[in-house]
Amino acid sequence: MSRMIPAKVYSDTKSPGEIDIFKNLRDDPKTEGWIVLHSLDIAHHVRRIAGEVDFVVIVPSYGVLCIEVKATNRIRREQGLWYYGNDTEGDPRGPFKQASEGMHSLRKRLILKEPNMQSVLFWSAVLLPYLDLAVSSDEWHSWQVINGSTYRQQPLSTSILSVLRKAHEHLQKDRSSWYTANRNQPTIHQCQQIANILRPDFEFFIAPKIQMGQLETEVKKYTEEQFIALDAMDNNERVVFIGPAGTGKTLLALETARRSYHAGRKVLLLCFNKQLSKRLAEDSGTLASGVTVAHLHKYMMQVADETLIPSADITPNYWLSALPDKATETLLQDDTGQYLFDELLLDEAQDMLRGKYLDFLDLCVKGGLASGRWRFFGDFERQAIYESISDISLEDALRTRLGKPAVFSLRVNCRNTPRIATLVELLGNLTPRYSRVLRPDDKLEPKLKYYTTGSQQLEQFIESLDELLKLGFAYSDIVVLSTRSNLSSIASSVSGIWRSRLRSLEDASNKHIHFGTIHSFKGLESPAVVVTDVDQISGDKSASLLYVAMTRPLRSLTVLASSTVREEILRQLLKSS
């Protein structure tokens, strides 16, 4: 049986021919050890060229076959144009050129990454599951066509091996300069390498907010391990993904939402942070018809039909008790099913471990938390920074409320550069540390600056922003995070031209440097982060705040700390090193 990527045929695959081919490749016992990439949903992702290959079949000891599927009952070629079914416009390229162009593009991409794979055979074929192509041409070899009669009479694996064998024979006779008659390639290890390099083209949920080209490429590249985590847990109904900041939990939540949407499930994706919910909603916008995204309190208000209450009239008890009670009561009385979901996803789940919240969530998913389908993503070690929210530990929740779910530990950092990750480990006292840091070292050292007075911090603050702009960061690439409220932060005290350049997270556009509290930016990331007003690092709350802030940047980190904590910071760095 082949390893299929993605692992399932999703509900929006409209071609029954492709679905049948997928199942044949997946279930054929003669395809053991094969890897098959299926180009589902490429239009929603990043690279157009990969979308032109329906199936990429990686066969140990034979090669890589790129298959173009034309699941139609009628094909004709007229005046250089190909017409499929009732198509009236015509395609000048035709299926063979389409398959060949896709194959050459993927081979070129692979060799750029792994030059030693130049001798691995890449070839293309056209599969017609419903008809036989009677036309011959010098533009393709007859053995590159898998006709419907052949498809029905023998296993597809036999046809694929036949094409690859004849491709080897053809290249030996042709004496192509790049070809080496080595039937041991690709090895099992090389098959995995090929899949790892090409996989992001076939299965990746790209966050459109990441604007810097280099960072976008790296983030795509280094989420491979997180996809494997989802694959490993696919057969489990309930899973808790735990891991420190930077291990890709939010991307996993988005990718899970995408997979579930395409599997035809009705999905509820919740988080605790308002700004994070905006990002999740934006990044899952194409899934809006099947995925509901909100922060927990907003969704509770929607369910309870509560109008927005003036902040002056809100007490903590409203959010902690009154609102969840009212929302839960609404769900208990609802018999329409409009608030009942097939799958529940929680990002930053550590902020929602509260009895009354779990009571509400229990009614949101079919089967409840004990028997339903859900995924929780959270950092249960260091990021619970909201005071007096959680009143139940993860251990107690696992034992009493959550139906004995599978637990998957994420320890690979795919967000921060090695130098930032090391500072996080040392100053954040991260135990255990990251198992690996995937981003390369860009030689950009994180900066610790100390101030003795408010005016000195203001001077260092302006200086730090100036340095980032000179390094080529755009205004929108920079986020300023404070341990204090917006009105009390150093960012609010700037004047002159800098006042017009800075805007709060709620009001900022792409023309501004963003600033806000550490709390408000939790779960998010930015190319450059400046952390200000650090006047305390001891104690769980202060240590956790600093840890959260330091793990936000993709490239540059600057921390402005009071000289009163300098010795404490130095002791922590020496102690942890």
Side-chain angles (χ1 to χ4, degrees):
M1 296 175 65
S2 297
R3 178 188 169 202
M4 308 299 291
I5 299 175
K8 297 180 180 179
V9 179
Y10 295 113
S11 61
D12 69 343
T13 301
K14 294 181 172 53
S15 167
E18 280 195 41
I19 295 172
D20 188 55
I21 293 163
F22 185 100
K23 292 177 179 177
N24 281 342
L25 288 169
R26 181 193 64 192
D27 300 335
D28 187 342
K30 294 182 180 180
T31 62
E32 186 68 35
W34 295 19
I35 301 175
V36 179
L37 307 178
H38 177 216
S39 61
L40 169 71
D41 201 28
I42 295 304
H44 291 255
H45 298 293
V46 288
R47 291 181 181 165
R48 178 179 176 272
I49 195 67
E52 298 182 357
V53 184
D54 292 320
F55 290 91
V56 176
V57 185
I58 307 169
V59 185
S61 301
Y62 279 86
V64 180
L65 186 65
C66 297
I67 302 177
E68 176 66 25
V69 177
K70 293 301 180 187
T72 178
N73 293 310
R74 182 186 177 202
I75 288 181
R76 63 188 174 93
R77 190 184 187 194
E78 189 175 297
Q79 296 183 346
L81 296 178
W82 290 77
Y83 298 87
Y84 310 108
N86 296 321
D87 175 34
T88 58
E89 294 186 6
D91 172 16
R93 289 187 305 165
F96 295 95
K97 187 173 183 180
Q98 189 174 347
S100 177
E101 287 178 353
M103 177 269 291
H104 283 297
S105 297
L106 293 178
R107 180 175 181 269
K108 180 179 179 181
R109 187 169 304 151
L110 174 69
I111 292 171
L112 283 173
K113 296 281 187 180
E114 291 291 342
N116 63 331
M117 290 200 199
Q118 183 149 354
S119 58
V120 172
L121 174 72
F122 266 67
W123 207 256
S124 61
V126 173
L127 173 52
L128 308 168
Y130 301 137
L131 56 81
D132 291 345
L133 185 68
V135 180
S136 61
S137 172
D138 293 336
E139 296 176 31
W140 65 85
H141 303 284
S142 60
W143 45 266
Q144 285 183 269
V145 185
I146 304 175
N147 280 313
S149 57
T150 304
Y151 178 68
R152 291 187 295 273
Q153 292 167 9
Q154 67 183 24
L156 181 53
S157 58
T158 302
S159 298
I160 289 171
L161 291 176
S162 175
V163 172
L164 290 172
R165 286 193 193 100
K166 288 175 180 176
H168 278 288
E169 293 169 5
H170 170 74
L171 290 170
Q172 281 182 292
K173 291 178 183 178
D174 193 51
R175 296 183 180 179
S176 296
S177 59
W178 62 269
Y179 176 74
T180 302
N182 183 351
R183 289 295 294 274
N184 295 320
Q185 288 188 320
T187 64
I188 295 293
H189 176 67
Q190 285 177 323
C191 288
Q192 186 60 60
Q193 281 185 296
I194 293 168
N196 289 345
I197 291 170
L198 299 183
R199 177 174 188 167
D201 292 336
F202 288 80
E203 185 181 43
F204 187 76
F205 192 103
I206 181 77
K209 279 294 185 182
I210 300 173
Q211 297 174 357
M212 299 177 71
Q214 179 183 355
L215 295 182
E216 180 179 302
T217 302
E218 288 182 5
V219 171
K220 284 191 299 176
K221 178 179 179 181
Y222 297 124
T223 49
E224 174 190 322
E225 188 149 335
Q226 280 71 6
F227 283 131
I228 293 172
L230 290 186
D231 292 343
M233 294 290 103
D234 188 63
N235 291 325
N236 293 279
E237 290 293 298
R238 295 169 295 284
V239 186
V240 179
F241 290 92
I242 61 174
T247 52
K249 296 183 295 298
T250 295
L251 283 174
L252 277 179
L254 284 166
E255 177 64 12
T256 303
R258 185 188 72 85
R259 293 184 180 194
S260 296
Y261 170 84
H262 288 301
R265 289 190 282 269
K266 181 183 175 185
V267 180
L268 176 62
L269 171 55
L270 298 176
C271 64
F272 194 79
N273 184 298
K274 189 183 299 184
Q275 292 296 325
L276 178 58
S277 73
K278 290 181 180 179
R279 176 200 162 175
L280 291 172
E282 290 172 1
D283 291 351
S284 61
T286 58
L287 316 178
S289 61
V291 179
T292 299
V293 180
H295 64 86
L296 179 64
H297 290 142
K298 180 179 180 180
Y299 186 66
M300 285 180 173
M301 293 183 75
Q302 178 184 329
V303 170
D305 197 22
E306 287 275 83
T307 54
L308 187 62
I309 301 171
S311 58
D313 299 330
I314 297 179
T315 65
N317 183 66
Y318 174 78
W319 303 115
L320 298 176
S321 183
L323 177 59
D325 281 348
K326 186 170 183 180
T328 299
E329 185 64 27
T330 301
L331 292 183
L332 286 170
Q333 296 175 5
D334 177 60
D335 57 4
T336 65
Q338 64 174 316
Y339 297 119
L340 193 60
F341 291 82
D342 300 313
E343 184 165 6
L344 170 67
L345 307 178
L346 298 186
D347 192 20
E348 302 288 337
Q350 72 277 356
D351 299 324
M352 291 176 268
L353 287 184
R354 183 171 181 81
K356 288 183 180 289
Y357 294 166
L358 295 178
D359 290 341
F360 171 76
L361 296 170
D362 188 61
L363 298 171
C364 292
V365 62
K366 293 178 181 177
L369 295 177
S371 302
R373 182 178 180 86
W374 53 258
R375 269 96 175 101
F376 290 2
F377 303 87
D379 181 353
F380 298 92
E381 305 166 36
R382 304 289 290 149
Q383 289 198 70
I385 61 174
Y386 296 98
E387 292 181 326
S388 305
I389 298 297
S390 298
D391 61 3
I392 183 172
S393 68
L394 176 62
E395 293 74 17
D396 288 342
L398 291 174
R399 188 178 66 256
T400 63
R401 301 292 303 264
L402 302 181
K404 298 180 180 178
V407 178
F408 194 100
S409 179
L410 302 163
R411 303 302 306 184
V412 178
N413 187 315
C414 61
R415 174 193 292 156
N416 308 122
T417 60
R419 297 181 190 224
I420 293 175
T422 298
L423 184 63
V424 169
E425 291 174 334
L426 296 178
L427 196 52
N429 196 25
L430 186 63
T431 306
R433 295 185 178 185
Y434 296 113
S435 61
R436 280 186 297 154
V437 178
L438 300 183
R439 296 273 311 284
D441 184 6
D442 62 1
K443 311 298 182 183
L444 199 57
E445 199 73 53
K447 295 181 179 180
L448 284 169
K449 299 183 178 182
Y450 300 97
Y451 59 85
T452 55
T453 65
S455 59
Q456 187 177 10
Q457 182 185 197
L458 180 59
E459 183 180 325
Q460 291 176 345
F461 177 58
I462 299 301
E463 176 186 79
S464 299
L465 296 181
D466 240 342
E467 290 170 353
L468 291 171
L469 294 174
K470 288 176 182 177
L471 284 172
F473 289 97
Y475 288 171
S476 58
D477 293 330
I478 305 170
V479 170
V480 180
L481 300 178
S482 175
T483 61
R484 303 173 185 169
S485 68
N486 283 358
L487 292 178
S488 302
S489 69
I490 195 67
S492 66
S493 66
V494 298
S495 59
I497 190 172
W498 285 102
R499 178 172 289 278
S500 63
R501 294 175 176 177
L502 284 134
R503 286 287 188 279
S504 68
L505 291 170
E506 293 79 10
D507 302 325
S509 70
N510 288 335
K511 298 178 181 180
H512 300 111
I513 295 171
H514 301 50
F515 75 90
T517 65
I518 296 170
H519 289 82
S520 65
F521 204 68
K522 190 166 176 286
L524 299 170
E525 59 196 24
S526 182
V529 172
V530 179
V531 187
T532 68
D533 307 299
V534 179
D535 53 14
Q536 189 174 343
I537 66 166
S538 59
D540 288 343
K541 179 185 176 184
S542 296
S544 294
L545 274 176
L546 184 58
Y547 163 81
V548 169
M550 290 193 303
T551 52
R552 301 306 100 197
L554 296 169
R555 282 198 63 204
S556 173
L557 171 64
T558 304
V559 178
L560 304 184
S562 170
S563 57
T564 59
V565 297
R566 180 171 187 167
E567 292 301 319
E568 194 174 354
I569 288 175
L570 291 175
R571 282 197 303 271
Q572 184 63 41
L573 293 175
L574 292 172
K575 172 186 171 184
S576 303
S577 61

